Each structure stands twice: as structure tokens, then as C-alpha cells.
Amino acid sequence: MARERKVLDALDTAKTQWYHFTAVVVAGMGFFTDAYDLFSISLVTKLLGRIYYFDRDSKRPGTLPPSVSAAVNGVAFCGTLAGQLFFGWLGDKMGRKKVYGMTLMLMVICCLASGLSFGSSAKGVMATLCFFRFWLGFGIGGGPPPLASLRRAPQRRPGGGFTAAVFAMQGFGNLTGGIVALVVSAAFKARFDAPAYRDDPAGSTVPEADYAWRIVLMFGAIPALLTYYWRMKMPETARYTALVARNDKQAAADMARVLNVEFVDEQEKAAVAEEEARRRDREQYGLFSREFGRRHGHHLLGTTVCWFVLDVAYYSQNLFQKDIYTAVQWLPKADTMNALEEMFKISRAQTLVALCGTIPGYWFTVFFIDVVGRFAIQLGGFILMTAFILGLAVPYHHWTTPGNHVGFVVMYAFTFFFANFGPNSTTFIVPAEIFPARLRSTCHGISSAAGKMGAIVGAFGFLYAAQSTDPSKTDAGYPPGIGNTDPNNTDPGYPPGIGVRNSLFLLAGCNVVGFFFTFLVPESKGKSLEELSGENDMAAAAANSYRQTVPDSGQAE
């Protein structure tokens, strides 16, 4: 135990070195890939509808039926939920490095497979896409818990900033997805131009457009493959090696090699005695123990609920940006464009919002999290997200009036800014800091899995809730209303949706819930991971117990 403390103290007090920045980039590329893979699908769903659900007799371009659209958008989150629970547990058993390598290779394979299909029918393509996106999500789910535990930054200086910088790479992944879709759609449009849908419904979607969405999805394999090599060259985290694997010599050697620090050897007798005390304590202090509930039960409740409600709002807004932009008439009507032109304009809109709102929010967190603190950023983020969403919802009819869409887009961008300079960053960072090392990956996995449950609710629920209350304006393929069991009866029976405006009110309510549950989460600014988790108290108790039971302990030391 004495040597463990030397390793961890040296890790906490080490000067910021080039290795820290390397670790941020390598670990951050995992989040870059995650964001690219999760959000790039929203850039191509309109194109998928035009290609595979074209109706020659319809006055509107083909669209994915809501059930198919929900599956295509949401199935990856179902896989992510399962992956976070499984790999979060596995990360505490096998180590962060091995698990991260496994998830990266799974992501590479499934990214490539997502761009392939069994057959050319709509059912075959959609089934293939959903199948491989589920397993892609499973691999993505294995990233956050181990990555969150790869905390190598100096703890008492910019520790939170380094962790936030890793997570901020999501913003660049989101932006890159938009840029790749922009380049691909522009290149295909320049080479294979076509008339607008209303001028030539069949000719508005050229056969070559089927390659465009495949290229965009398969591109996600490239950063994952590049990251794998560099990640495998990095050592396991010192905290896992010392506190969980119980190999303090290896932890010291790993950190001495990459951080240029030396560790002083300690007396083996004290280390063995304190290790035995630690072992007894560990056996009494499991995830489902009363002691864990007393120390961290309310913390885990706070991190899970906050992450859940945040992702309901965040992923609803992110995945269905294109539908909201169409509702406020920022994007032209679909029948005035050909398929590739629509993909280009959707990509341009989402890239602009990512550039002006999403990325600045992430980096404000990087620069201010160790100044302002996690608690204030999360609380303020929930408040301001609520304010801006209400600013969109209350005067919604004003924003949908022609000429006012610019103001709507600015307000909408601010909701993304304060999501990322707020709970979208802190809900990831805090669970990586406040739980014991041996349970850190598991607890982070549980918290992030709760978030993905929220993302699933957002992906499936918002699509249906935001449908127009006017049955004639719902998406093609929308099911009959509740209570209508007669397939020959075209009367929907009940309004098919609550509309975008009321859906925004629901999202604002989610943020209010997150605001109140934030008070269950402790401030972790300026504290070491062992202080936050209570492991320093446990070590001190073990040392005292040893001194009381071994009379000559003073001579031994």
C-alpha cells in the first residue's frame, strides 16, 4: 500500500508533459469515432428514404416509415446501452487497455459492414444496416467507461480539463461527419446532377446516390483503425494496475517510463500488512454492499438520472435536427430538391450548428471546468438549456413564420452550446472521478448506460411525438391513431402526434429534472480521485489497524 501511494501521489503531482497531450489525443479519438458513427446516420436517412421507399404516385419524395426511421436511428443506442454495461464490468476485470482495444476493432468491422447490404430490397438493406449498427453501438458502448478511467492528467492542476478535452473530441467527430457528408454529396451532385423531385420524381434520385450514404458510414472505420495502433502502445492506467491489479511495481515502471518520474521503494512488511487490510475491506465493500450505498448510493442516483434526462433532450435535438429545420423552413421543401441536393443542404445546416454551437461549448468546458467547477457548469447548463428551449417553444409560431428562421437557428445553436458547456460534458466527467478505482469503470458504465436509455427514448419517442397533430401532414407510413383497429378506416382516431412545439416543452421538462438531481452529485474540483472515492480514508484506517495489531511496526518502518 505504501508503494501504491507513492505511485499515485507521483501521478497526481507530476508536471504536465507531452505524454499527457498524447493521451488526450489518443483517448479522444475514441470519442471522435463514437460521435461520427452515432450522428452520421442522421445525415443520410433522408437519402435512404428517397432510394428505398420511393412511391411513383406520391407528390412527396420517399421517406423512411417512422418505425424504420426510429430503428435506423435508435438501434445503435440499444447496442451502446448493452455495451456500456458489459464493457464497464469487463474493464474492471481485464483492464482499460484490453477492453478499449477490443471495442475499437469491433467498431472498425461494423463500420465497414454498415455500408454493405444483403440484397437490394428495402427490407434487406434496412435489416442489414440495423443489424450491424446494433453491434457498432455495442462497440461504441465499450468506449466511455474505459476511456473515462484512463485519467492520466495531473490531478491537482488541469485534471478535469484534460478529461474534458478527451470528451470534447466528440464535437470534432460530429463536425467531421457533416464535412464528409458535404464533400461526398457535393462530389456526387457535381458528377451526377439531376432535376428536382417535382420536375421528375424518378429521375431526381440517380442510381449512384446509393454509394453516397455507404461511403459516409464506412468512413468511420478510418479513425478507429488509426487509433487502435497508438492505443496499444500506451501502458495500462497506473490506478488500475496499482489499485485493482495489485501490481504496484508494474504501475511504477509504466509511469516512470512515460512520465519521467522516480519512485522510492518502501518496506515490504508494511505493504503486505496494509494489503491484507485492504483485502478485507474490499470483500466488505462491493457494488451492492451497504457501505457502497452509504458512501456512493446517492451519487450513483444523481449521475444516472442526470445523464438519462440530459440524453433524452440532447439526442432528440441532435438526431432530428433536419426535421426541426424543415419545420421552421430553414431547409427548402423536399420536392424542390433532388436527393443529393437535399443531403448536401442537411449536411451544411448540421455542420454550421456544430461549428457555431457544439464545438465552442465543449472547449469552454475544457478551459473553465477547473476554474468554475463541475457542479456550477452542470447546474448552469441545465438552467440555460431550459431557458433556450422555452425560448424556442413559447413563441414557436413566430419562428415558423417565413423570414424568422435565422433567429430560431441561433437560439437552437445556443441549446447545443450550453448542453456541451454544461451537463453533456460533466455527466461524463464526474462519474469518472467520484467512485472507487475498482468500481470506477462499472459505475461509469451504469451511469452512461442510463444516458443511453435516455438516448433511446429520445430517438424513438421524439420521432413519434413531433409528428404533426394534422393527420394529413404526418410522415408517410405513420401508423393509424390509438384506438383505430380497422385497417380500412383511414380516420386516425386520435391526433397522431403532439407536434414539435409541445415536444420542445417536454425536452425543457427533462432539463428541469436534471437541474434538481444535480444536487446529489458532489463537486470534485481540486481533489484527487482517492479523496473523492474515500480510498484515502480506507488506507488510513488500514494503516492504523496495522499499527495497533503489530507492536514493532515502528521499527519495521
Side-chain angles (χ1 to χ4, degrees):
M1 182 61 202
R3 188 185 290 115
E4 289 173 9
R5 285 255 39 94
K6 283 290 184 181
V7 172
L8 301 182
D9 288 344
L11 183 64
D12 285 344
T13 58
K15 294 181 179 180
T16 303
Q17 301 176 30
W18 179 249
Y19 174 73
H20 292 125
F21 295 100
T22 303
V24 166
V25 173
V26 174
M29 284 303 294
F31 285 104
F32 175 98
T33 307
D34 292 355
Y36 182 96
D37 293 333
L38 288 175
F39 296 126
S40 60
I41 190 66
S42 66
L43 300 167
V44 301
T45 50
K46 291 285 188 182
L47 181 60
L48 289 170
R50 286 191 182 237
I51 295 172
Y52 295 105
Y53 291 88
F54 169 67
D55 183 355
R56 188 177 299 274
D57 298 325
S58 175
K59 294 182 180 180
R60 293 189 292 180
T63 58
L64 295 180
S67 58
V68 176
S69 180
V72 168
N73 282 288
V75 70
F77 297 118
C78 297
T80 303
L81 171 62
Q84 285 169 332
L85 292 173
F86 175 73
F87 287 114
W89 167 81
L90 195 63
D92 284 332
K93 299 296 181 182
M94 295 181 58
R96 290 40 161 157
K97 179 179 178 178
K98 290 181 181 178
V99 168
Y100 190 26
M102 292 165 56
T103 61
L104 281 172
M105 290 312 300
L106 182 60
M107 289 164 62
V108 169
I109 294 169
C110 291
C111 273
L112 296 174
S114 293
L116 306 175
S117 59
F118 300 144
S120 57
S121 66
K123 284 186 177 181
V125 173
M126 294 303 114
T128 303
L129 181 59
C130 289
F131 175 82
F132 286 113
R133 281 193 65 80
F134 174 86
W135 289 107
L136 174 64
F138 191 76
I140 290 172
L147 283 173
S149 302
L150 290 177
R151 184 168 183 169
R152 303 175 181 275
Q155 177 63 38
R156 296 189 182 277
R157 286 188 290 277
F162 273 83
T163 308
V166 171
F167 189 63
M169 294 297 288
Q170 275 199 342
F172 289 111
N174 200 339
L175 177 66
T176 301
I179 292 173
V180 170
L182 270 174
V183 171
V184 170
S185 58
F188 274 79
K189 183 177 179 299
R191 179 66 179 84
F192 308 104
D193 201 7
Y197 182 87
R198 63 185 178 188
D199 297 328
D200 183 1
S204 66
T205 304
V206 296
E208 291 80 6
D210 193 45
Y211 294 107
W213 69 268
R214 299 176 188 272
I215 293 172
V216 171
L217 297 185
M218 295 172 78
F219 185 87
I222 296 176
L225 195 59
L226 294 175
T227 305
Y228 179 82
Y229 171 75
W230 293 108
R231 177 63 192 100
M232 292 302 100
K233 292 184 67 176
M234 295 172 65
E236 181 59 86
T237 65
R239 282 186 165 85
Y240 179 87
T241 305
L243 295 176
V244 183
R246 299 297 175 188
N247 190 342
D248 49 303
K249 291 183 179 180
Q250 184 62 50
D254 288 342
M255 292 302 99
R257 176 165 56 89
V258 298
L259 291 178
N260 298 318
V261 294
E262 295 182 358
F263 300 96
V264 179
D265 192 17
E266 300 291 336
Q267 296 295 327
E268 291 297 328
K269 186 175 182 180
V272 170
E274 293 184 9
E275 162 61 19
E276 177 62 21
R278 232 350 159 80
R279 184 190 65 78
R280 291 196 302 268
D281 186 83
R282 185 168 66 252
E283 291 175 349
Q284 300 171 359
Y285 184 5
L287 179 63
F288 300 105
S289 67
R290 288 185 178 181
E291 185 66 14
F292 179 86
R294 183 183 69 82
R295 291 173 179 264
H296 298 293
H298 58 295
H299 297 160
L300 188 58
L301 177 63
T303 58
T304 53
V305 172
C306 288
W307 208 332
F308 174 83
V309 295
L310 178 275
D311 277 9
V312 171
Y314 187 73
Y315 282 92
S316 294
Q317 292 176 262
N318 240 315
L319 290 174
F320 301 107
Q321 289 183 62
K322 59 190 181 301
D323 303 299
I324 296 174
Y325 298 152
T326 300
V328 299
Q329 301 180 35
W330 186 23
L331 295 177
K333 291 184 178 180
D335 64 352
T336 64
M337 301 178 284
N338 63 45
L340 292 169
E341 183 182 3
E342 183 179 39
M343 179 180 170
F344 176 84
K345 291 189 175 179
I346 289 171
S347 304
R348 184 178 62 184
Q350 296 192 196
T351 300
L352 182 62
V353 171
L355 191 61
C356 297
T358 302
I359 289 181
Y362 278 121
W363 288 95
F364 264 67
T365 300
V366 172
F367 294 126
F368 291 107
I369 191 167
D370 288 307
V371 178
V372 178
R374 288 77 161 147
F375 181 83
I377 289 177
Q378 182 162 314
L379 207 62
F382 274 127
I383 292 172
L384 291 168
M385 284 178 69
T386 303
F388 279 103
I389 290 178
L390 291 177
L392 297 174
V394 174
Y396 182 74
H397 298 296
H398 166 76
W399 298 122
T400 56
T401 303
N404 294 328
H405 64 266
V406 174
F408 181 95
V409 172
V410 172
M411 295 276 285
Y412 199 64
F414 270 113
T415 66
F416 284 106
F417 176 84
F418 285 109
N420 295 309
F421 183 38
N424 191 46
S425 296
T426 55
T427 52
F428 169 81
I429 294 169
V430 173
E433 297 178 330
I434 64 176
F435 298 109
R438 67 182 179 280
L439 300 173
R440 188 166 295 142
S441 183
T442 300
C443 291
H444 196 282
I446 293 171
S447 301
S448 57
K452 286 304 167 283
M453 288 178 65
I456 292 169
V457 171
F460 287 89
F462 189 84
L463 178 67
Y464 288 97
Q467 294 289 324
S468 173
T469 55
D470 182 352
S472 65
K473 296 181 180 179
T474 59
D475 292 341
Y478 191 83
I482 300 172
N484 181 1
T485 58
D486 183 1
N488 297 318
N489 182 5
T490 58
D491 180 7
Y494 288 91
I498 62 175
V500 174
R501 181 172 186 260
N502 290 327
S503 297
L504 290 173
F505 278 121
L506 287 179
L507 300 187
C510 290
N511 292 322
V512 172
V513 173
F515 172 84
F516 287 109
F517 273 85
T518 296
F519 289 96
L520 295 178
V521 182
E523 175 58 75
S524 52
K525 182 182 73 170
K527 298 179 181 179
S528 74
L529 300 184
E530 288 68 45
E531 288 176 293
L532 287 165
S533 64
E535 288 170 300
N536 277 352
D537 298 336
M538 293 158 52
N544 289 335
S545 176
Y546 170 74
R547 295 188 186 97
Q548 292 172 5
T549 56
V550 183
D552 62 342
S553 60
Q555 287 79 4
E557 294 178 355

